[in-house]
């Protein structure tokens, strides 16, 4: 159950979404810098503590991630570049809840793009000199992302890549009300 507004918003194409979902297993080799880059490009924010969905933190060989796929954040404990252990923990008490052999990470925003793309989009929006879009340019410069592409001109939306329409467009034309 959802609202008309929710299903009509522009969103990431399912094919692109699937390329941004990745799994981490105990024993995997994990390059910390590459992993941080993947998290940032999937819309996560680096914070002091991973207390809310879409946040992650790095403290030495420990990486905490709060993925929307789980009720609790998970902790990756590395030994050098090997995943030594994975466990879910309580974000308030920081107490471990349960060990696991595998976790998945997926994007946390409908629109996913990196800092370079955000800067490029901001420049294009500013060059249009439309007052109603200046706030979007400021958000891109300050936060590196927009929460929605709905108000953007088609030329700007096309630069996002993978933003082709709403969830209804992504899953074809067969809807419950058609039956």
């Amino acid at each position: 159950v959802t609202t008309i507004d929710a299903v009509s918003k522009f969103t990431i194409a399912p094919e692109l979404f699937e390329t941004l979902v990745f799994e981490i297993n105990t024993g995997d080799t994990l390059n910390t810098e590459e992993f941080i880059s993947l998290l940032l490009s999937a819309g996560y924010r680096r914070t002091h503590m991973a207390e809310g969905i879409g946040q992650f933190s790095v403290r030495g060989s420990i990486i905490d991630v709060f993925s929307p796929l789980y009720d609790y954040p998970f902790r990756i404990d590395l030994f050098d570049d090997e995943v030594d252990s994975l466990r879910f923990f309580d974000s308030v008490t920081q107490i471990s809840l349960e060990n696991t052999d595998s976790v998945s990470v997926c994007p946390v925003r409908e629109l996913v793009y990196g800092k370079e793309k955000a800067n490029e989009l901001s420049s294009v929006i500013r060059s249009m000199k439309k007052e109603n879009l200046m706030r979007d340019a400021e958000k891109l410069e300050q936060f590196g992302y927009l929460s929605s592409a709905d108000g953007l001109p088609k030329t700007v939306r096309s630069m996002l890549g993978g933003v082709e329409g709403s969830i209804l467009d992504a899953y074809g034309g067969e809807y419950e009300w058609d039956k």
Side-chain angles (χ1 to χ4, degrees):
V1 176
T2 188
T3 65
I4 299 263
D5 185 50
V7 296
S8 64
K9 288 191 179 298
F10 284 94
T11 189
I12 188 172
E15 303 81 32
L16 179 57
F17 180 87
E18 288 172 13
T19 67
L20 296 169
V21 174
F22 49 98
E23 189 174 299
I24 302 163
N25 300 291
T26 303
D28 283 354
T29 299
L30 187 71
N31 179 307
T32 303
E33 293 307 312
E34 286 178 14
F35 183 61
I36 290 169
S37 180
L38 282 169
L39 289 171
L40 292 170
S41 67
Y44 288 79
R45 283 183 331 154
R46 189 171 184 167
T47 58
H48 178 66
M49 291 175 62
E51 298 175 299
I53 291 173
Q55 296 179 344
F56 75 97
S57 66
V58 181
R59 294 177 317 283
S61 65
I62 293 175
I63 304 171
D64 293 341
V65 180
F66 206 143
S67 169
L69 299 174
Y70 305 108
D71 293 331
Y72 295 97
F74 58 84
R75 179 164 289 149
I76 304 169
D77 195 352
L78 297 170
F79 180 75
D80 194 25
D81 63 351
E82 182 180 326
V83 177
D84 194 38
S85 69
L86 295 167
R87 60 187 172 274
F88 293 99
F89 67 96
D90 185 296
S91 60
V92 175
T93 65
Q94 297 291 302
I95 294 174
S96 295
L97 300 173
E98 83 178 271
N99 291 332
T100 185
D101 293 327
S102 176
V103 292
S104 294
V105 178
C106 72
V108 293
R109 291 196 191 95
E110 289 83 6
L111 303 175
V112 180
Y113 44 86
K115 185 70 173 162
E116 286 180 22
K117 180 61 79 174
N119 290 336
E120 181 185 349
L121 290 168
S122 174
S123 294
V124 169
I125 289 170
R126 286 194 180 281
S127 72
M128 293 177 165
K129 299 183 189 287
K130 294 186 178 183
E131 191 59 38
N132 62 323
L133 297 176
M134 288 303 142
R135 194 164 164 195
D136 288 334
E138 290 168 8
K139 285 181 185 176
L140 281 165
E141 292 161 4
Q142 184 177 4
F143 302 111
Y145 68 91
L146 291 173
S147 58
S148 173
D150 294 334
L152 297 176
K154 188 173 184 175
T155 54
V156 176
R157 274 199 323 268
S158 68
M159 293 175 62
L160 292 172
V163 178
E164 308 201 358
S166 71
I167 196 79
L168 296 176
D169 298 318
Y171 290 99
E174 192 171 318
Y175 311 112
E176 187 63 35
W177 54 82
D178 288 339
K179 297 178 183 175

